[in-house]
């Protein structure tokens, strides 16, 4: 299993748009056969901060997700332009 954690800070006034993109991404991504978990979160302390917590079967499954048309539409063309800052980290299970 591979875990992706994405922290995002969106531009002021784009919070609602960000939540809509997250909802659509969750809906599509959760249908992928190798998607184990796909959850978006919004900070209670700072409404401009969002977090994706994503689990995929393996790196190939994550790569396949990133190649989908909805990833391009809602991440590259949707979220990317409204982001002020983003950090991504990949994790693996400790064995």
């Amino acid at each position: 299993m591979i875990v992706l954690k994405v922290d995002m800070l969106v531009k002021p006034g784009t919070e609602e748009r960000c939540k809509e993109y997250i909802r659509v991404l969750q809906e599509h991504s959760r249908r992928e056969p190798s998607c184990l978990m796909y959850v978006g979160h919004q900070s209670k302390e700072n409404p401009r901060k969002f977090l994706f917590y994503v689990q995929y079967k393996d790196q190939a499954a994550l790569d396949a997700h990133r190649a989908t048309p909805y990833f391009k539409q809602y991440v590259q063309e949707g979220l990317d332009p409204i982001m002020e800052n983003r950090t991504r980290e990949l994790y693996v299970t400790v064995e």
Side-chain angles (χ1 to χ4, degrees), residues 1-5 53-56 62 89-93:
M1 176 178 63
I2 191 164
V3 170
L4 172 64
K5 181 178 85 81
Y53 180 82
V54 179
Q55 293 179 344
Y56 275 91
L62 180 58
E89 292 183 76
L90 286 173
Y91 295 84
V92 295
T93 306

Side-chain angles (χ1 to χ4, degrees), residues 6-58:
V6 181
D7 291 294
M8 302 180 293
L9 178 66
V10 297
K11 295 174 184 174
T14 64
E15 298 88 350
E16 290 302 316
R17 192 167 5 150
C18 182
K19 289 194 291 190
E20 278 304 308
Y21 292 142
I22 288 172
R23 287 182 191 110
V24 173
L25 281 164
Q26 288 176 148
E27 180 183 335
H28 286 288
S29 302
R30 290 174 180 169
R31 292 184 190 141
E32 296 172 26
S34 295
C35 177
L36 306 175
M37 181 180 289
Y38 200 99
V39 183
H41 305 273
Q42 184 177 26
S43 170
K44 291 182 78 165
E45 286 83 26
N46 182 346
R48 291 177 50 214
K49 285 186 175 183
F50 291 86
L51 163 76
F52 272 117
Y53 180 82
V54 179
Q55 293 179 344
Y56 275 91
K57 180 181 167 188
D58 53 26

Side-chain angles (χ1 to χ4, degrees), residues 49-81:
K49 285 186 175 183
F50 291 86
L51 163 76
F52 272 117
Y53 180 82
V54 179
Q55 293 179 344
Y56 275 91
K57 180 181 167 188
D58 53 26
Q59 183 65 51
L62 180 58
D63 293 343
H65 164 71
R66 290 176 172 162
T68 62
Y70 50 85
F71 183 87
K72 180 179 181 190
Q73 181 178 0
Y74 295 106
V75 175
Q76 296 171 344
E77 296 171 1
L79 289 172
D80 285 356

